[in-house]
Amino acid sequence: MPSAATRRANSSAKERESTGVLFNSLLSWFGLGRPTPSIGLRPHREFEIACSEPEARARCLEALINVAGANVQSEEGDTIEAGFGIVNSERLRIHIESLDATRTLIRIEAFYPARLAPPPRSMAVDALVRALGPPR
């Protein structure tokens, strides 16, 4: 039969283990747990289109609203951000960079809430790429 000291040590170890499991569960629930291997690997596309930066911005806004059905949330500087649905479970960020007077670089990224693992592809990103018509 184990001694009283051994029983206390075992009991204390079990309490620490259950506290650690609870703490890790809370961190995971808040999206603060260990990063998954896919973190930072969001669906994205980068391509050039043959038009000026203001025309590219107008085409991106039109495609976001008419093709993707997104709610444009901000248009600051060279970035446009938009979301889908009531809780914006998927968000898009479009970065527009003028290469010269007739060429513009477009980068479209999809963002998801921290609690969701990002899928390998985004239907919204793919639809915008098709609508903006980069050369294949």
Side-chain angles (χ1 to χ4, degrees):
M1 179 138 183
S3 69
T6 304
R7 284 194 304 269
R8 279 193 305 272
N10 288 341
S11 174
S12 180
K14 287 180 184 177
E15 285 177 19
R16 281 192 308 271
E17 183 178 322
S18 66
T19 302
V21 169
L22 175 64
F23 185 70
N24 287 337
S25 296
L26 284 172
L27 284 176
S28 177
W29 186 74
F30 282 117
L32 302 172
R34 286 188 181 151
T36 62
S38 63
I39 213 153
L41 301 176
R42 298 181 288 267
H44 69 280
R45 298 282 295 275
E46 188 172 292
F47 56 92
E48 287 182 30
I49 57 176
C51 64
S52 65
E53 188 272 333
E55 185 182 343
R57 175 179 288 282
R59 287 177 60 187
C60 287
L61 285 168
E62 182 181 346
L64 275 169
I65 294 166
N66 296 332
V67 174
N71 301 312
V72 176
Q73 297 167 338
S74 78
E75 295 179 60
E76 295 181 11
D78 57 0
T79 303
I80 301 171
E81 292 194 22
F84 298 91
I86 295 171
V87 294
N88 294 322
S89 59
E90 180 176 359
R91 296 184 328 268
L92 293 180
R93 182 177 297 150
I94 300 177
H95 178 78
I96 303 166
E97 180 182 336
S98 178
L99 298 174
D100 59 34
T102 61
R103 294 181 313 134
T104 303
L105 180 69
I106 306 287
R107 179 178 175 86
I108 305 171
E109 291 181 275
F111 291 83
Y112 301 90
R115 68 184 178 281
L116 299 177
R121 294 189 67 99
S122 164
M123 290 176 32
V125 170
D126 293 342
L128 285 174
V129 170
R130 284 191 304 274
L132 293 170
R136 304 213 188 281

